Amino acid sequence: MKKTLLILVMLTFIKVSAQKSNSDLLQGKWQSTSDKSNFLIFENNHRKESGCNGSYDDYVFIISDTCMCDVSDYYSDITKEKDRYISVVDEGLCWYIIDVTPTELTLSYVLRGNILSYKKVRNLVSIYK
């Protein structure tokens, strides 16, 4: 009985240790499921977004428990949740992470509440041209 309990505790610990944070899961290249020309790229603390013209916007973002933007009128009644908000403070932008897995990303743009869905891209020809 003690051996079985010890094995269960160890397996639970291994599973919890192997879970990645939202920040880790975001890293990489994502393609919109509704607009195939729209890509999001998360590299460390940079959020890059590209459209069909090949150019991209590059912003520093923060992942936190609430929106970090200085537009408190819009974000004042947001419920805090651990590492669920992506904020681009300088631009006053904030997204709520509805779900992020190694292959799928679903965000809600907080100001409008619209839902944005993405799939992870494995091989992407450079969009930085």
Side-chain angles (χ1 to χ4, degrees):
M1 180 68 171
K2 287 182 181 181
K3 261 187 175 176
T4 304
L5 183 58
L6 180 61
I7 291 171
L8 286 174
V9 169
M10 289 176 59
L11 289 174
T12 302
F13 176 76
I14 291 168
K15 183 178 178 185
V16 169
S17 299
Q19 290 178 344
K20 292 186 175 185
S21 70
N22 284 344
S23 181
D24 291 336
L25 288 168
L26 280 176
Q27 298 301 306
K29 301 166 188 168
W30 302 88
Q31 184 176 30
S32 171
T33 58
S34 62
D35 177 0
K36 301 298 182 196
S37 67
N38 178 254
F39 294 90
L40 279 183
I41 301 169
F42 291 94
E43 292 177 338
N44 299 313
N45 66 333
H46 285 262
R47 178 191 179 277
K48 301 174 183 182
E49 186 165 6
S50 175
C52 60
N53 64 0
S55 65
Y56 67 95
D57 296 321
D58 184 349
Y59 298 110
V60 173
F61 73 92
I62 299 168
I63 293 186
S64 60
D65 302 349
T66 189
C67 287
M68 301 299 292
C69 301
D70 188 24
V71 283
S72 56
D73 291 345
Y74 293 108
Y75 301 125
S76 61
D77 32 332
I78 289 179
T79 304
K80 291 186 177 186
E81 284 188 64
K82 180 137 179 71
D83 296 332
R84 295 297 260 187
Y85 293 90
I86 301 168
S87 299
V88 176
V89 177
D90 293 342
E91 300 295 319
L93 302 171
C94 184
W95 296 267
Y96 174 76
I97 302 170
I98 295 172
D99 190 35
V100 61
T101 70
T103 59
E104 295 181 5
L105 171 63
T106 307
L107 303 173
S108 174
Y109 181 59
V110 174
L111 282 176
R112 293 189 196 139
N114 52 322
I115 306 297
L116 308 164
S117 297
Y118 299 87
K119 296 279 185 187
K120 189 75 163 248
V121 176
R122 297 215 184 272
N123 295 316
L124 180 66
V125 177
S126 177
I127 62 172
Y128 299 116
K129 295 179 183 177

